[in-house]
Amino acid sequence: MSHQPVRTRTAAFSRRRGRRVSALVLAAVAMTVPIAGCSIQDAICGGGEYPVLNVGSTGRACVPNGEEPPKGYVRFPEGKVPEHVGDEWDEYWQSHTVDKDGKTVTVPEEAPQESPKE
């Protein structure tokens, strides 16, 4: 009867394997988070909402689909609706607004404030 030595996994082997699996899991999570998170984090409004513009300023709000904008707010002009933070229309509406007559106008820059005199 010939006895062959039984091969057992050593603690070192198990640690190395555990580290490889952990590294693979972390890599997969790291690659998934930016893809999944981007569209949600960067959206101007959440699902089921649309953005509206404060008349005469660059202020904004989000309104549930199917509801009218609140008093003092209007819908963005068709084709000029910001959808994601930093997109073309988001940047545009940082310096433009709609006046009380519905005309798109440039928002005047605020006058520099003087420092208090002592």
Side-chain angles (χ1 to χ4, degrees):
M1 197 177 203
S2 167
H3 288 287
Q4 299 232 345
V6 177
R7 187 173 177 182
T8 60
R9 293 185 180 179
T10 63
F13 175 79
S14 293
R15 281 193 302 270
R16 282 194 308 268
R17 184 172 182 207
R19 277 185 249 157
R20 277 190 225 138
V21 170
S22 295
L24 289 172
V25 169
L26 286 174
V29 169
M31 290 172 50
T32 304
V33 168
I35 295 169
C38 183
S39 63
I40 294 170
Q41 289 177 336
D42 291 343
I44 296 291
C45 291
E49 297 178 318
Y50 69 95
V52 292
L53 180 64
N54 186 278
V55 175
S57 80
T58 58
R60 302 179 194 179
C62 293
V63 176
N65 291 340
E67 290 186 18
E68 289 299 313
K71 184 176 181 175
Y73 287 83
V74 294
R75 293 176 186 266
F76 284 92
E78 188 174 338
K80 296 182 179 182
V81 180
E83 295 179 8
H84 295 92
V85 174
D87 71 14
E88 174 188 5
W89 295 115
D90 179 47
E91 295 293 325
Y92 177 83
W93 292 109
Q94 298 293 323
S95 61
H96 293 79
T97 191
V98 175
D99 69 12
K100 62 181 176 155
D101 298 320
K103 182 180 173 189
T104 300
V105 295
T106 301
V107 176
E109 290 186 34
E110 291 185 37
Q113 296 183 359
E114 295 182 25
S115 22
K117 295 181 182 174
E118 294 181 29

